[in-house]
Amino acid sequence: MPVPQETEVFVIGGGPAGLAAAIASRDKGLRVTVADWSRPPIEKPCGEGLMPDSLDALRQLGVTIGSEHCFPFSGIRFLAPGVSVSASFPSGCGLGMRRPVLHQLLADRAAETGVQFLWGARVSGISSEGVVVNGELVRSRWIVAADGQNSNVRRWADLDAFHTYKRRFGFRRHYRVTPWSDCVEIYWGSGFQFYITPVGPREVCTVLISRDRHLRIDQALEGCADLKKRLQSAVPASAEQGAVSLSCRFKQVVRGRVALIGDASGSVDAVTGEGMCLAFQQAVKLADGLAAGDLSMYAAGHRRLMRRPFFMADTMLLLDRFPGLRDRAIHALSANPAIFSTLLATHIGAGSPAAIVTSALPLGWQMLTAGGP
Ligand SMILES: Cc1cc2nc3c(=O)[nH]c(=O)nc-3n(C[C@H](O)[C@H](O)[C@H](O)COP(=O)(O)OP(=O)(O)OC[C@H]3O[C@@H](n4cnc5c(N)ncnc54)[C@H](O)[C@@H]3O)c2cc1C
């Protein structure tokens, strides 16, 4: 595809956020070009879980997922040595699906809406007129930076100042095994979590997350006997791949004609499973702002969207950092699973923040009285 001379919206990065922004902007009638130096389907280490709120956002973008592409799960289970608690989503289910499959579905939907693609194209700069792609200037009214957590565009636009920056390390490997649970399972170990998402009738995606950049899946499994037993006869179906998981919040996500989206605009720790959901929801808000010619609308919407996932990520990171608190919390939740259901509903945007406050009091009481491990 030749590089065009001009467009209305230039999206830098064709990952989930860039494609979602492109689809939502096309839906508003804007002319959109997306450039990415990779080509679809793009692979990336990921937990590969889509929570019900992610699926709602995908439906809004017109992306349909056939049952042949995914595997459903009905809730979340926390497991720590000797204790577990689970809750179902208040309605609907989540889906596990391989990342390249999701990427291809998004790329197909974007093509269907009339997005122009520059795959295999490198963006090397932005200017007051537009974007430099493969050394050529493309004039653009708007520039959308969807170039991921290490965004160059964010730096070029002087939007790098942040409020929060917490870093952990994720490692992902698939195993050929029949999913043993209808939940995404989160195993809490000493200084790490494993989360297991069913992604097919005979496959699970395993992600290890920790603050230790040297810790790998096989080593961590030695400290997680229950999961080790589940996986001991399963054949690995992919190589172990690592990625950095950031919890970071930037002071601003728009400047002039530039808007940040997806991981380029900030991210929540991977253990929340909310990264892509945020990107899809941001895309809809961004398109509203672009169509109205007012990016401040997007900045306000972005701030609102980030609040709840950040609160949940902070809570998870607190439990990661203080194992004693974590064990007491999981025991207390297990003694009162209704509170866990409320927290899960809130996590996926189906409960009110007030519900967290009303849950926190009995949970605190349980932690003091029900006893720890
Ligand atoms: C270990 C781990 C597990 C996770 N698990 C989940 C999960 O279960 N569920 C969930 O919802 N989220 C999960 N996430 C988060 C999710 O992966 C991210 O939120 C998501 O990838 C963000 O998408 P993005 O499009 O913003 O960025 P990316 O997916 O990073 O896409 C950025 C794109 O920009 C392109 N690019 C960059 N610079 C340029 C340039 N100069 N020119 C051209 N192209 C460029 C890259 O090639 C890339 O394709 C996980 C993250 C990690 C690290």
Side-chain angles (χ1 to χ4, degrees):
M1 167 76 64
V3 175
Q5 292 189 327
E6 184 266 339
T7 187
E8 281 178 288
V9 181
F10 198 108
V11 182
I12 303 166
L19 291 176
I23 295 166
S25 302
R26 276 300 299 145
D27 286 346
K28 295 281 179 192
L30 297 161
R31 280 179 299 121
V32 183
T33 301
V34 174
D36 197 299
W37 56 41
S38 301
R39 291 175 192 278
I42 300 178
E43 172 66 296
K44 192 181 169 184
C46 181
E48 303 184 331
L50 295 167
M51 308 284 248
D53 48 344
S54 305
L55 299 175
D56 288 344
L58 280 171
R59 268 189 291 274
Q60 218 179 327
L61 296 169
V63 178
T64 43
I65 302 174
S67 57
E68 70 281 14
H69 292 308
C70 58
F71 200 80
F73 54 89
S74 62
I76 302 289
R77 175 169 298 131
F78 277 10
L79 302 99
V83 64
S84 72
V85 57
S86 56
S88 297
F89 299 121
S91 63
C93 63
L95 294 178
M97 67 190 300
R98 281 278 199 136
R99 175 86 176 210
V101 177
L102 174 63
H103 188 263
Q104 191 63 60
L105 288 178
L106 282 162
D108 290 348
R109 171 70 187 142
E112 194 180 284
T113 62
V115 171
Q116 185 170 26
F117 289 112
L118 300 170
W119 295 116
R122 180 176 293 265
V123 171
S124 56
I126 57 172
S127 73
S128 57
E129 290 172 280
V131 173
V132 181
V133 195
N134 292 343
E136 290 179 48
L137 175 71
V138 180
R139 289 178 208 287
S140 183
R141 173 153 190 227
W142 304 109
I143 297 171
V144 175
D147 53 342
Q149 63 178 209
N150 297 318
S151 171
N152 279 321
V153 185
R154 189 174 63 221
R155 191 164 40 81
W156 297 332
D158 198 18
L159 286 167
D160 252 347
F162 58 84
H163 286 299
T164 317
Y165 190 93
K166 292 175 191 149
R167 194 168 62 151
R168 299 209 296 163
F169 301 92
F171 289 89
R172 183 233 61 201
R173 188 194 276 158
H174 297 92
Y175 287 88
R176 215 154 278 144
V177 61
T178 303
W180 57 85
S181 166
D182 64 348
C183 287
V184 165
E185 292 192 333
I186 302 183
Y187 291 78
W188 292 82
S190 178
F192 64 81
Q193 294 85 52
F194 272 111
Y195 66 98
I196 314 296
T197 310
V199 291
R202 267 173 300 283
E203 192 167 62
V204 299
C205 175
T206 301
V207 169
L208 164 72
I209 310 250
S210 82
R211 274 174 279 128
D212 179 355
R213 64 166 72 223
H214 302 294
L215 188 65
R216 294 293 182 275
I217 290 176
D218 288 340
Q219 197 187 344
L221 278 174
E222 294 304 320
C224 199
D226 292 348
L227 182 59
K228 187 179 170 201
K229 212 157 116 196
R230 294 273 187 204
L231 294 177
Q232 68 192 1
S233 53
V235 181
S238 65
E240 184 168 359
Q241 281 192 349
V244 171
S245 165
L246 291 181
S247 258
C248 64
R249 203 182 325 205
F250 294 95
K251 290 189 174 167
Q252 285 171 267
V253 295
V254 303
R255 168 156 296 146
R257 67 172 75 199
V258 180
L260 311 180
I261 189 168
D263 281 5
S265 71
S267 46
V268 285
D269 191 88
V271 77
T272 61
E274 281 287 284
M276 288 189 282
C277 179
L278 272 171
F280 303 148
Q281 293 173 337
Q282 288 161 1
V284 174
K285 299 267 179 232
L286 176 59
D288 287 342
L290 294 175
D294 178 6
L295 284 183
S296 68
M297 276 170 62
Y298 170 60
H302 186 281
R303 230 180 349 264
R304 273 195 302 276
L305 285 175
M306 296 298 272
R307 244 176 242 147
R308 175 179 47 83
F310 262 112
F311 174 78
M312 300 312 273
D314 284 349
T315 307
M316 303 281 252
L317 291 176
L318 193 72
L319 298 183
D320 171 63
R321 207 164 264 281
F322 297 102
L325 179 69
R326 176 205 67 202
D327 287 348
R328 289 189 82 80
I330 297 179
H331 274 84
L333 289 169
S334 146
N336 195 343
I339 298 178
F340 193 57
S341 301
T342 306
L343 291 173
L344 179 60
T346 308
H347 181 63
I348 60 162
S352 70
I356 292 200
V357 178
T358 31
S359 299
L361 295 174
L363 179 65
W365 181 247
Q366 286 280 341
M367 287 171 71
L368 286 171
T369 57

